[in-house]
Coordinates of all heavy atoms in Angstrom, one line a residue:
M12 N -14.5 2.7 -14.0 CA -13.1 2.7 -13.8 C -12.8 2.9 -12.3 O -11.9 2.2 -11.8 CB -12.5 3.9 -14.6 CG -11.0 4.1 -14.4 SD -10.1 2.6 -15.1 CE -9.1 2.3 -13.7
R13 N -13.5 3.8 -11.6 CA -13.2 3.9 -10.2 C -13.5 2.7 -9.4 O -12.8 2.3 -8.5 CB -14.0 5.1 -9.7 CG -13.6 6.4 -10.2 CD -14.4 7.6 -9.6 NE -14.3 8.8 -10.4 CZ -13.3 9.6 -10.5 NH1 -12.2 9.4 -9.8 NH2 -13.3 10.7 -11.3
S14 N -14.6 2.0 -9.8 CA -14.9 0.7 -9.0 C -13.9 -0.3 -9.3 O -13.5 -1.1 -8.4 CB -16.3 0.2 -9.4 OG -16.3 -0.2 -10.7
R15 N -13.3 -0.4 -10.5 CA -12.2 -1.4 -10.8 C -11.0 -1.0 -10.0 O -10.3 -1.9 -9.5 CB -12.0 -1.5 -12.3 CG -13.1 -2.2 -13.0 CD -12.9 -2.4 -14.4 NE -11.6 -3.0 -14.8 CZ -11.4 -4.3 -14.8 NH1 -12.3 -5.2 -14.4 NH2 -10.2 -4.8 -15.0
Y16 N -10.7 0.3 -9.9 CA -9.5 0.7 -9.1 C -9.7 0.3 -7.6 O -8.8 -0.3 -7.0 CB -9.3 2.2 -9.2 CG -8.3 2.7 -8.2 CD1 -6.9 2.6 -8.3 CD2 -8.7 3.2 -6.9 CE1 -6.0 2.9 -7.4 CE2 -7.8 3.6 -6.0 CZ -6.5 3.4 -6.2 OH -5.6 3.8 -5.2
S17 N -10.9 0.5 -7.1 CA -11.2 0.1 -5.7 C -11.0 -1.4 -5.5 O -10.5 -1.8 -4.5 CB -12.6 0.5 -5.3 OG -12.7 2.0 -5.3
A18 N -11.4 -2.1 -6.6 CA -11.3 -3.6 -6.5 C -9.8 -4.0 -6.5 O -9.4 -4.9 -5.7 CB -12.0 -4.3 -7.6
F19 N -9.0 -3.3 -7.3 CA -7.5 -3.6 -7.2 C -7.0 -3.2 -5.8 O -6.2 -4.0 -5.2 CB -6.8 -2.8 -8.2 CG -6.7 -3.4 -9.6 CD1 -7.4 -3.1 -10.6 CD2 -5.7 -4.5 -9.8 CE1 -7.3 -3.7 -11.9 CE2 -5.6 -5.1 -11.0 CZ -6.4 -4.7 -12.0
A20 N -7.5 -2.1 -5.3 CA -7.0 -1.7 -4.0 C -7.4 -2.6 -2.8 O -6.6 -2.7 -1.9 CB -7.5 -0.2 -3.7
T21 N -8.5 -3.2 -2.9 CA -9.0 -4.1 -1.9 C -8.7 -5.6 -2.2 O -9.1 -6.5 -1.4 CB -10.5 -3.9 -1.6 OG1 -11.2 -4.2 -2.8 CG2 -10.8 -2.5 -1.2
G22 N -8.1 -5.9 -3.4 CA -7.8 -7.3 -3.7 C -9.0 -8.1 -4.1 O -9.0 -9.3 -4.0
D23 N -10.0 -7.5 -4.7 CA -11.2 -8.2 -5.1 C -11.1 -8.7 -6.5 O -11.7 -8.1 -7.5 CB -12.4 -7.3 -4.9 CG -13.7 -8.0 -5.1 OD1 -13.8 -9.2 -5.6 OD2 -14.8 -7.4 -4.8
A24 N -10.4 -9.8 -6.7 CA -10.2 -10.3 -8.1 C -11.5 -10.8 -8.7 O -11.7 -10.7 -9.9 CB -9.2 -11.5 -8.0
G25 N -12.4 -11.2 -7.9 CA -13.7 -11.7 -8.5 C -14.4 -10.6 -9.1 O -15.0 -10.7 -10.2
Y26 N -14.5 -9.4 -8.5 CA -15.1 -8.2 -9.1 C -14.4 -7.8 -10.4 O -15.1 -7.5 -11.4 CB -15.2 -7.0 -8.2 CG -15.8 -5.8 -8.7 CD1 -17.2 -5.7 -8.7 CD2 -15.1 -4.8 -9.4 CE1 -17.8 -4.6 -9.3 CE2 -15.7 -3.7 -9.9 CZ -17.1 -3.6 -9.9 OH -17.7 -2.5 -10.5
L27 N -13.1 -7.8 -10.4 CA -12.4 -7.5 -11.6 C -12.7 -8.4 -12.8 O -12.9 -8.0 -13.9 CB -10.9 -7.5 -11.3 CG -10.4 -6.3 -10.4 CD1 -9.0 -6.6 -9.9 CD2 -10.5 -5.0 -11.1
L28 N -12.8 -9.7 -12.5 CA -13.1 -10.7 -13.5 C -14.5 -10.5 -14.0 O -14.8 -10.6 -15.2 CB -12.9 -12.1 -13.0 CG -11.4 -12.5 -12.9 CD1 -11.3 -13.8 -12.2 CD2 -10.7 -12.5 -14.2
R29 N -15.5 -10.2 -13.1 CA -16.9 -10.0 -13.5 C -17.1 -8.7 -14.3 O -18.0 -8.6 -15.1 CB -17.8 -9.9 -12.3 CG -18.0 -11.2 -11.6 CD -19.1 -11.1 -10.5 NE -18.9 -10.1 -9.5 CZ -18.1 -10.2 -8.4 NH1 -17.4 -11.4 -8.2 NH2 -18.0 -9.3 -7.6
T30 N -16.2 -7.7 -14.2 CA -16.3 -6.5 -14.9 C -15.3 -6.4 -16.1 O -15.0 -5.3 -16.5 CB -16.1 -5.3 -14.0 OG1 -14.9 -5.3 -13.4 CG2 -17.2 -5.2 -12.9
W31 N -14.8 -7.6 -16.5 CA -13.9 -7.7 -17.6 C -14.7 -8.3 -18.8 O -15.4 -9.2 -18.6 CB -12.8 -8.6 -17.2 CG -11.5 -8.4 -17.9 CD1 -11.3 -8.2 -19.3 CD2 -10.2 -8.4 -17.3 NE1 -9.9 -8.1 -19.5 CE2 -9.2 -8.2 -18.4 CE3 -9.7 -8.5 -16.0 CZ2 -7.9 -8.1 -18.1 CZ3 -8.4 -8.4 -15.8 CH2 -7.5 -8.2 -16.8
S32 N -14.5 -7.8 -20.0 CA -15.1 -8.3 -21.2 C -14.9 -9.8 -21.4 O -13.8 -10.3 -21.2 CB -14.6 -7.5 -22.4 OG -15.2 -8.2 -23.6
T33 N -16.0 -10.5 -21.7 CA -15.8 -11.9 -22.0 C -14.9 -12.2 -23.2 O -14.4 -13.3 -23.3 CB -17.2 -12.5 -22.3 OG1 -17.8 -11.9 -23.4 CG2 -18.1 -12.5 -21.1
R34 N -14.7 -11.2 -24.0 CA -13.8 -11.4 -25.2 C -12.3 -11.3 -24.8 O -11.5 -11.9 -25.5 CB -14.1 -10.3 -26.2 CG -15.5 -10.4 -26.8 CD -15.7 -9.3 -27.8 NE -15.8 -8.0 -27.0 CZ -15.4 -6.8 -27.5 NH1 -14.8 -6.7 -28.6 NH2 -15.6 -5.7 -26.7
T35 N -12.0 -10.7 -23.7 CA -10.6 -10.5 -23.4 C -10.2 -10.9 -21.9 O -9.1 -10.8 -21.5 CB -10.2 -9.0 -23.5 OG1 -11.0 -8.2 -22.6 CG2 -10.3 -8.5 -24.9
R36 N -11.2 -11.4 -21.2 CA -11.0 -11.7 -19.8 C -10.0 -12.9 -19.6 O -10.2 -13.9 -20.3 CB -12.3 -12.0 -19.1 CG -12.2 -12.5 -17.7 CD -13.6 -12.6 -17.1 NE -14.5 -13.4 -17.9 CZ -15.8 -13.2 -18.0 NH1 -16.4 -12.2 -17.3 NH2 -16.6 -14.0 -18.7
P37 N -9.1 -12.9 -18.7 CA -8.2 -14.0 -18.5 C -9.0 -15.1 -17.7 O -10.0 -14.7 -17.0 CB -7.1 -13.5 -17.7 CG -7.6 -12.3 -17.0 CD -8.7 -11.7 -17.9
A38 N -8.6 -16.3 -17.7 CA -9.2 -17.4 -17.0 C -9.0 -17.2 -15.5 O -9.9 -17.5 -14.7 CB -8.7 -18.7 -17.4
V39 N -7.8 -16.7 -15.1 CA -7.5 -16.5 -13.7 C -6.8 -15.1 -13.6 O -6.0 -14.7 -14.5 CB -6.5 -17.6 -13.2 CG1 -6.0 -17.4 -11.8 CG2 -7.1 -19.0 -13.4
L40 N -7.0 -14.5 -12.5 CA -6.3 -13.2 -12.2 C -5.7 -13.3 -10.8 O -6.3 -13.5 -9.8 CB -7.4 -12.1 -12.2 CG -6.8 -10.7 -11.9 CD1 -5.8 -10.3 -13.0 CD2 -7.9 -9.7 -11.9
R41 N -4.4 -13.2 -10.8 CA -3.6 -13.2 -9.6 C -3.1 -11.7 -9.3 O -2.3 -11.2 -10.0 CB -2.5 -14.2 -9.6 CG -2.9 -15.6 -9.7 CD -1.7 -16.6 -9.7 NE -2.2 -17.9 -9.7 CZ -2.5 -18.6 -10.9 NH1 -2.5 -18.0 -12.0 NH2 -3.0 -19.8 -10.8
L42 N -3.6 -11.2 -8.2 CA -3.1 -9.8 -7.8 C -1.9 -9.9 -6.9 O -1.8 -10.8 -6.1 CB -4.3 -9.1 -7.1 CG -5.6 -9.0 -7.8 CD1 -6.7 -8.4 -7.0 CD2 -5.3 -8.2 -9.1
D43 N -1.0 -9.0 -7.1 CA 0.2 -9.0 -6.3 C 0.0 -8.4 -4.9 O -0.4 -7.2 -4.7 CB 1.3 -8.1 -7.0 CG 2.6 -8.1 -6.3 OD1 2.7 -8.6 -5.2 OD2 3.5 -7.5 -6.9
P44 N 0.1 -9.2 -3.9 CA -0.2 -8.8 -2.5 C 0.8 -7.7 -2.0 O 0.6 -7.0 -1.0 CB -0.1 -10.0 -1.6 CG 0.7 -11.0 -2.4 CD 0.5 -10.6 -3.9
E45 N 2.0 -7.6 -2.7 CA 3.0 -6.6 -2.3 C 2.7 -5.2 -2.8 O 3.3 -4.3 -2.4 CB 4.4 -7.1 -2.8 CG 4.8 -8.4 -2.2 CD 5.0 -8.3 -0.7 OE1 5.7 -7.3 -0.3 OE2 4.5 -9.1 0.0
T46 N 1.7 -5.1 -3.7 CA 1.3 -3.8 -4.3 C 0.2 -3.1 -3.5 O -0.9 -3.7 -3.4 CB 0.9 -3.9 -5.8 OG1 2.0 -4.5 -6.5 CG2 0.6 -2.6 -6.4
R47 N 0.4 -1.9 -3.0 CA -0.6 -1.2 -2.3 C -1.0 0.0 -3.1 O -0.1 0.9 -3.3 CB -0.1 -0.7 -0.9 CG -1.2 -0.3 0.0 CD -0.8 0.2 1.3 NE -0.4 1.6 1.2 CZ 0.6 2.3 1.7 NH1 1.4 1.6 2.5 NH2 0.8 3.5 1.5
W48 N -2.2 0.0 -3.6 CA -2.6 1.1 -4.5 C -3.0 2.3 -3.6 O -3.7 2.2 -2.6 CB -3.8 0.7 -5.3 CG -3.4 -0.4 -6.2 CD1 -3.6 -1.8 -6.0 CD2 -2.8 -0.3 -7.5 NE1 -3.0 -2.4 -7.1 CE2 -2.5 -1.5 -8.0 CE3 -2.3 0.8 -8.2 CZ2 -1.9 -1.8 -9.2 CZ3 -1.7 0.6 -9.4 CH2 -1.5 -0.7 -9.9
T49 N -2.4 3.5 -4.0 CA -2.5 4.7 -3.1 C -3.3 5.8 -3.7 O -3.6 6.8 -3.0 CB -1.1 5.1 -2.7 OG1 -0.4 5.5 -3.9 CG2 -0.4 4.0 -1.9
G50 N -3.7 5.8 -5.0 CA -4.4 6.9 -5.5 C -4.7 6.7 -7.0 O -4.1 6.0 -7.7
L51 N -5.8 7.4 -7.4 CA -6.2 7.3 -8.8 C -6.5 8.7 -9.4 O -7.2 9.5 -8.7 CB -7.5 6.5 -8.9 CG -8.1 6.4 -10.3 CD1 -7.3 5.6 -11.3 CD2 -9.5 5.7 -10.2
D52 N -5.9 9.0 -10.5 CA -6.2 10.3 -11.2 C -6.8 9.9 -12.6 O -6.2 9.2 -13.4 CB -4.9 11.1 -11.5 CG -4.1 11.4 -10.3 OD1 -4.8 11.8 -9.3 OD2 -2.9 11.3 -10.3
I53 N -8.0 10.4 -12.8 CA -8.7 10.3 -14.1 C -8.3 11.5 -14.9 O -8.5 12.6 -14.6 CB -10.2 10.2 -13.9 CG1 -10.7 9.1 -13.0 CG2 -10.9 10.2 -15.3 CD1 -10.4 7.7 -13.5
L54 N -7.6 11.2 -16.1 CA -7.0 12.2 -16.9 C -7.9 12.6 -18.0 O -7.7 13.7 -18.6 CB -5.7 11.7 -17.4 CG -4.6 11.3 -16.4 CD1 -3.4 10.7 -17.0 CD2 -4.3 12.4 -15.4
G55 N -8.8 11.7 -18.4 CA -9.7 12.1 -19.5 C -10.5 10.9 -20.0 O -10.3 9.8 -19.4
G56 N -11.3 11.0 -21.0 CA -12.1 9.9 -21.5 C -12.9 10.3 -22.7 O -13.0 11.5 -23.0
T57 N -13.4 9.3 -23.3 CA -14.3 9.5 -24.5 C -15.5 8.6 -24.3 O -15.4 7.6 -23.7 CB -13.6 9.2 -25.8 OG1 -13.3 7.8 -25.8 CG2 -12.3 10.0 -26.0
G58 N -16.7 9.1 -24.9 CA -17.8 8.2 -24.9 C -18.3 7.9 -23.4 O -18.0 8.7 -22.5
G59 N -18.9 6.8 -23.3 CA -19.2 6.3 -21.9 C -20.5 6.8 -21.3 O -20.8 6.6 -20.2
T60 N -21.3 7.5 -22.1 CA -22.6 8.0 -21.6 C -23.7 7.0 -21.9 O -23.4 6.0 -22.5 CB -23.0 9.4 -22.3 OG1 -23.4 9.1 -23.6 CG2 -21.9 10.4 -22.1
A61 N -24.9 7.3 -21.5 CA -26.0 6.4 -21.8 C -26.2 6.2 -23.3 O -26.9 5.3 -23.7 CB -27.2 6.9 -21.1
F62 N -25.7 7.1 -24.1 CA -25.9 7.1 -25.5 C -24.8 6.3 -26.3 O -24.8 6.2 -27.5 CB -26.1 8.5 -26.1 CG -27.2 9.2 -25.5 CD1 -26.9 10.2 -24.5 CD2 -28.5 8.9 -25.8 CE1 -27.9 10.9 -23.9 CE2 -29.5 9.6 -25.2 CZ -29.3 10.6 -24.3
H63 N -23.8 5.8 -25.6 CA -22.7 5.2 -26.2 C -22.6 3.7 -25.8 O -23.1 3.3 -24.8 CB -21.3 5.8 -25.7 CG -21.2 7.2 -26.1 ND1 -21.4 8.3 -25.3 CD2 -20.8 7.8 -27.3 CE1 -21.2 9.4 -25.9 NE2 -20.9 9.2 -27.2
A64 N -22.0 2.9 -26.7 CA -21.8 1.5 -26.5 C -20.3 1.2 -26.2 O -20.0 0.2 -25.7 CB -22.2 0.7 -27.7
E65 N -19.4 2.3 -26.4 CA -18.0 2.1 -26.1 C -17.5 3.4 -25.5 O -18.1 4.5 -25.7 CB -17.3 1.8 -27.4 CG -17.6 0.5 -28.0 CD -16.9 0.3 -29.4 OE1 -16.4 1.2 -29.9 OE2 -16.8 -0.9 -29.7
G66 N -16.4 3.4 -24.9 CA -15.7 4.5 -24.3 C -14.3 4.2 -23.9 O -13.9 3.1 -23.9
T67 N -13.6 5.3 -23.5 CA -12.2 5.1 -23.0 C -12.1 5.9 -21.8 O -12.8 6.9 -21.6 CB -11.2 5.6 -24.0 OG1 -11.3 7.0 -24.3 CG2 -11.3 4.8 -25.3
V68 N -11.1 5.5 -20.9 CA -10.8 6.3 -19.7 C -9.2 6.3 -19.6 O -8.6 5.2 -19.6 CB -11.4 5.7 -18.4 CG1 -10.9 6.4 -17.2 CG2 -12.9 5.6 -18.5
E69 N -8.7 7.5 -19.6 CA -7.2 7.6 -19.4 C -7.0 7.9 -18.0 O -7.7 8.8 -17.4 CB -6.7 8.7 -20.3 CG -5.2 8.8 -20.1 CD -4.5 9.9 -20.9 OE1 -5.2 10.8 -21.5 OE2 -3.3 10.0 -20.9
F70 N -6.1 7.1 -17.3 CA -5.9 7.3 -15.9 C -4.5 7.1 -15.5 O -3.7 6.5 -16.3 CB -6.8 6.2 -15.1 CG -6.3 4.8 -15.3 CD1 -5.4 4.3 -14.4 CD2 -6.8 4.0 -16.3 CE1 -5.0 3.0 -14.5 CE2 -6.4 2.7 -16.4 CZ -5.5 2.2 -15.5
R71 N -4.2 7.5 -14.3 CA -2.9 7.2 -13.7 C -3.2 6.7 -12.3 O -3.8 7.4 -11.5 CB -2.0 8.5 -13.6 CG -0.6 8.2 -13.1 CD 0.3 9.5 -13.2 NE 0.6 9.8 -14.6 CZ 0.2 10.9 -15.2 NH1 -0.4 11.8 -14.6 NH2 0.5 11.1 -16.4
A72 N -2.8 5.5 -12.0 CA -2.9 4.8 -10.7 C -1.6 4.8 -10.0 O -0.6 4.3 -10.6 CB -3.5 3.4 -10.9
H73 N -1.6 5.2 -8.8 CA -0.4 5.3 -8.0 C -0.3 4.1 -7.0 O -1.3 3.7 -6.5 CB -0.3 6.6 -7.2 CG -0.5 7.8 -8.1 ND1 0.6 8.4 -8.7 CD2 -1.6 8.5 -8.5 CE1 0.2 9.4 -9.4 NE2 -1.2 9.5 -9.3
Y74 N 0.9 3.6 -6.8 CA 1.1 2.5 -5.9 C 2.4 2.6 -5.2 O 3.2 3.3 -5.5 CB 1.0 1.1 -6.6 CG 2.1 0.9 -7.6 CD1 3.3 0.4 -7.3 CD2 1.9 1.2 -9.0 CE1 4.3 0.2 -8.2 CE2 2.9 1.0 -9.9 CZ 4.1 0.5 -9.5 OH 5.1 0.3 -10.4
R75 N 2.5 1.8 -4.1 CA 3.7 1.6 -3.3 C 3.9 0.1 -3.1 O 3.0 -0.6 -2.8 CB 3.6 2.4 -2.0 CG 4.8 2.4 -1.2 CD 4.8 3.4 -0.1 NE 4.8 4.8 -0.5 CZ 5.8 5.5 -1.0 NH1 7.0 4.9 -1.1 NH2 5.7 6.7 -1.4
L76 N 5.1 -0.3 -3.3 CA 5.5 -1.7 -3.1 C 5.7 -1.9 -1.6 O 6.4 -1.1 -0.9 CB 6.7 -2.1 -3.9 CG 6.5 -2.0 -5.4 CD1 7.8 -2.4 -6.1 CD2 5.4 -2.9 -5.9
A77 N 5.1 -3.0 -1.0 CA 5.2 -3.2 0.4 C 6.6 -3.6 0.9 O 7.1 -3.3 1.9 CB 4.2 -4.3 0.9
G78 N 7.3 -4.4 0.1 CA 8.6 -5.0 0.5 C 9.7 -4.0 0.3 O 9.6 -2.9 -0.4
G79 N 10.9 -4.2 0.9 CA 12.0 -3.4 0.7 C 11.8 -2.0 1.1 O 11.3 -1.7 2.2
A80 N 12.2 -1.1 0.3 CA 12.2 0.4 0.6 C 10.8 1.0 0.4 O 10.6 2.1 0.6 CB 13.2 1.1 -0.2
G81 N 9.8 0.2 -0.1 CA 8.5 0.7 -0.3 C 8.5 1.6 -1.5 O 7.9 2.7 -1.5
A82 N 9.2 1.2 -2.6 CA 9.3 2.0 -3.8 C 7.9 2.4 -4.3 O 7.0 1.6 -4.4 CB 10.0 1.3 -4.9
A83 N 7.8 3.7 -4.7 CA 6.5 4.2 -5.3 C 6.6 4.1 -6.8 O 7.6 4.1 -7.4 CB 6.3 5.6 -4.9
G84 N 5.4 3.9 -7.4 CA 5.3 3.9 -8.9 C 3.9 4.3 -9.3 O 3.1 4.6 -8.5
E85 N 3.7 4.2 -10.6 CA 2.4 4.5 -11.2 C 2.2 3.7 -12.4 O 3.1 3.3 -13.1 CB 2.3 6.0 -11.5 CG 3.2 6.5 -12.5 CD 3.1 8.0 -12.7 OE1 2.9 8.8 -11.7 OE2 3.2 8.4 -13.8
Q86 N 0.9 3.5 -12.7 CA 0.5 2.8 -13.9 C -0.4 3.8 -14.7 O -1.3 4.4 -14.2 CB -0.3 1.6 -13.7 CG -0.8 0.9 -14.9 CD -1.6 -0.3 -14.7 OE1 -1.5 -1.0 -13.6 NE2 -2.4 -0.7 -15.7
H87 N 0.1 4.1 -15.9 CA -0.7 5.0 -16.8 C -1.2 4.2 -17.9 O -0.5 3.4 -18.6 CB 0.3 6.1 -17.3 CG -0.4 7.1 -18.3 ND1 0.1 7.3 -19.5 CD2 -1.5 7.8 -18.1 CE1 -0.7 8.2 -20.1 NE2 -1.6 8.5 -19.3
E88 N -2.5 4.4 -18.2 CA -3.2 3.6 -19.2 C -4.4 4.4 -19.8 O -5.0 5.1 -19.1 CB -3.7 2.2 -18.7 CG -4.3 1.3 -19.7 CD -4.7 0.0 -19.1 OE1 -3.9 -0.6 -18.3 OE2 -5.8 -0.5 -19.4
N89 N -4.6 4.1 -21.1 CA -5.9 4.6 -21.7 C -6.7 3.3 -21.9 O -6.4 2.5 -22.8 CB -5.6 5.3 -23.0 CG -6.8 6.0 -23.5 OD1 -7.8 6.3 -22.8 ND2 -6.8 6.3 -24.8
S90 N -7.7 3.1 -21.1 CA -8.5 1.8 -21.1 C -9.7 1.9 -22.0 O -10.4 2.9 -22.0 CB -8.9 1.4 -19.7 OG -7.8 1.2 -18.9
A91 N -10.0 0.8 -22.7 CA -11.2 0.7 -23.5 C -12.3 0.0 -22.7 O -12.0 -1.0 -22.1 CB -10.9 0.0 -24.8
F92 N -13.5 0.5 -22.8 CA -14.6 -0.1 -22.1 C -15.7 -0.3 -23.2 O -15.8 0.5 -24.1 CB -15.1 0.8 -20.9 CG -14.3 0.8 -19.8 CD1 -13.2 1.6 -19.7 CD2 -14.5 -0.1 -18.7 CE1 -12.3 1.6 -18.6 CE2 -13.6 -0.1 -17.6 CZ -12.5 0.8 -17.6
A93 N -16.6 -1.2 -22.9 CA -17.8 -1.5 -23.8 C -18.9 -2.0 -23.0 O -18.7 -2.5 -21.9 CB -17.4 -2.5 -24.9
R94 N -20.1 -1.9 -23.6 CA -21.3 -2.5 -22.9 C -21.5 -3.9 -23.3 O -21.4 -4.2 -24.5 CB -22.5 -1.7 -23.3 CG -22.6 -0.4 -22.6 CD -24.0 0.2 -22.9 NE -24.1 1.6 -22.5 CZ -24.5 2.0 -21.3 NH1 -24.8 1.2 -20.4 NH2 -24.5 3.3 -21.1
E95 N -21.7 -4.8 -22.3 CA -22.0 -6.2 -22.6 C -23.2 -6.4 -21.7 O -23.2 -6.2 -20.5 CB -20.9 -7.1 -22.2 CG -19.8 -7.1 -23.2 CD -18.7 -8.1 -22.9 OE1 -18.8 -9.0 -22.0 OE2 -17.6 -8.1 -23.6
D96 N -24.3 -6.9 -22.3 CA -25.6 -7.1 -21.6 C -26.0 -5.9 -20.8 O -26.4 -6.1 -19.6 CB -25.4 -8.4 -20.7 CG -25.2 -9.6 -21.6 OD1 -25.8 -9.7 -22.6 OD2 -24.4 -10.5 -21.1
G97 N -25.7 -4.7 -21.3 CA -26.2 -3.5 -20.6 C -25.2 -3.0 -19.6 O -25.4 -1.9 -19.0
Q98 N -24.1 -3.7 -19.3 CA -23.2 -3.3 -18.3 C -21.8 -2.9 -18.9 O -21.4 -3.5 -19.9 CB -22.9 -4.5 -17.3 CG -24.1 -5.0 -16.6 CD -24.7 -4.0 -15.7 OE1 -24.0 -3.3 -14.9 NE2 -26.0 -3.8 -15.7
W99 N -21.2 -1.9 -18.3 CA -19.9 -1.4 -18.8 C -18.9 -2.4 -18.3 O -18.8 -2.8 -17.1 CB -19.5 0.0 -18.2 CG -20.3 1.1 -18.9 CD1 -21.3 1.8 -18.4 CD2 -20.0 1.5 -20.2 NE1 -21.7 2.7 -19.4 CE2 -20.9 2.5 -20.5 CE3 -19.1 1.2 -21.2 CZ2 -21.0 3.2 -21.7 CZ3 -19.1 1.9 -22.4 CH2 -20.1 2.9 -22.7
V100 N -18.0 -2.9 -19.2 CA -16.9 -3.8 -18.9 C -15.6 -3.3 -19.5 O -15.6 -2.7 -20.5 CB -17.2 -5.3 -19.3 CG1 -18.4 -5.8 -18.6 CG2 -17.5 -5.3 -20.8
Y101 N -14.5 -3.7 -18.8 CA -13.2 -3.4 -19.3 C -12.8 -4.3 -20.4 O -13.0 -5.5 -20.4 CB -12.2 -3.6 -18.1 CG -10.7 -3.5 -18.5 CD1 -10.2 -2.2 -18.8 CD2 -9.9 -4.6 -18.6 CE1 -8.8 -2.1 -19.1 CE2 -8.6 -4.5 -18.9 CZ -8.0 -3.3 -19.2 OH -6.7 -3.2 -19.5
V102 N -12.3 -3.7 -21.5 CA -11.9 -4.5 -22.7 C -10.4 -4.7 -22.7 O -9.9 -5.8 -23.0 CB -12.4 -3.9 -24.0 CG1 -11.9 -4.6 -25.2 CG2 -13.9 -3.8 -24.0
G103 N -9.7 -3.6 -22.5 CA -8.2 -3.7 -22.6 C -7.7 -2.3 -22.8 O -8.4 -1.3 -22.8
E104 N -6.4 -2.2 -23.2 CA -5.8 -0.9 -23.5 C -6.4 -0.4 -24.8 O -6.5 -1.2 -25.7 CB -4.3 -1.0 -23.5 CG -3.7 -1.0 -22.2 CD -2.2 -0.7 -22.2 OE1 -1.8 0.4 -22.7 OE2 -1.4 -1.6 -21.8
A105 N -6.7 0.9 -24.8 CA -7.3 1.5 -26.1 C -6.2 1.6 -27.1 O -5.0 1.9 -26.7 CB -7.9 2.8 -25.8
G106 N -6.5 1.3 -28.3 CA -5.5 1.3 -29.4 C -5.2 2.6 -30.0 O -5.1 3.7 -29.9

């Protein structure tokens, strides 16, 4: 989760696509250049150890919009992750 947040913060769409499940990955990912990510809070999680094939991470990511008044906001999500070919990948929002 932290590496995906860093990829959003640095605009690394390639990394985000490579760490996205082949079952749910979009064909193209366009990141908003006006969004500046400013912080990540990990709120909790389930699974995700070497003994699990699935897990979740609940997080709050903070951002500031570059244009206008630089409005601040946050994204809150409980994300599902799974192992594919031995690597953890993002699946989508946990149900």
Side-chain angles (χ1 to χ4, degrees):
M12 180 62 232
R13 292 182 200 284
S14 68
R15 286 183 55 82
Y16 168 80
S17 295
F19 271 105
T21 61
D23 190 349
Y26 179 82
L27 292 166
L28 288 170
R29 285 190 307 278
T30 59
W31 206 314
S32 173
T33 56
R34 296 177 289 144
T35 58
R36 177 175 50 216
V39 176
L40 180 62
R41 291 183 180 86
L42 301 176
D43 183 354
E45 297 295 311
T46 303
R47 194 181 88 221
W48 295 96
T49 59
L51 175 67
D52 301 319
I53 301 295
L54 305 174
T57 63
T60 71
F62 302 105
H63 295 103
E65 297 178 340
T67 64
V68 176
E69 182 182 6
F70 70 91
R71 184 173 293 117
H73 305 273
Y74 64 85
R75 184 166 295 282
L76 299 176
E85 62 184 41
Q86 177 179 338
H87 178 236
E88 184 175 316
N89 190 22
S90 298
F92 289 84
R94 285 191 193 267
E95 286 184 9
D96 297 322
Q98 301 296 315
W99 284 106
V100 294
Y101 172 75
V102 176
E104 284 196 59

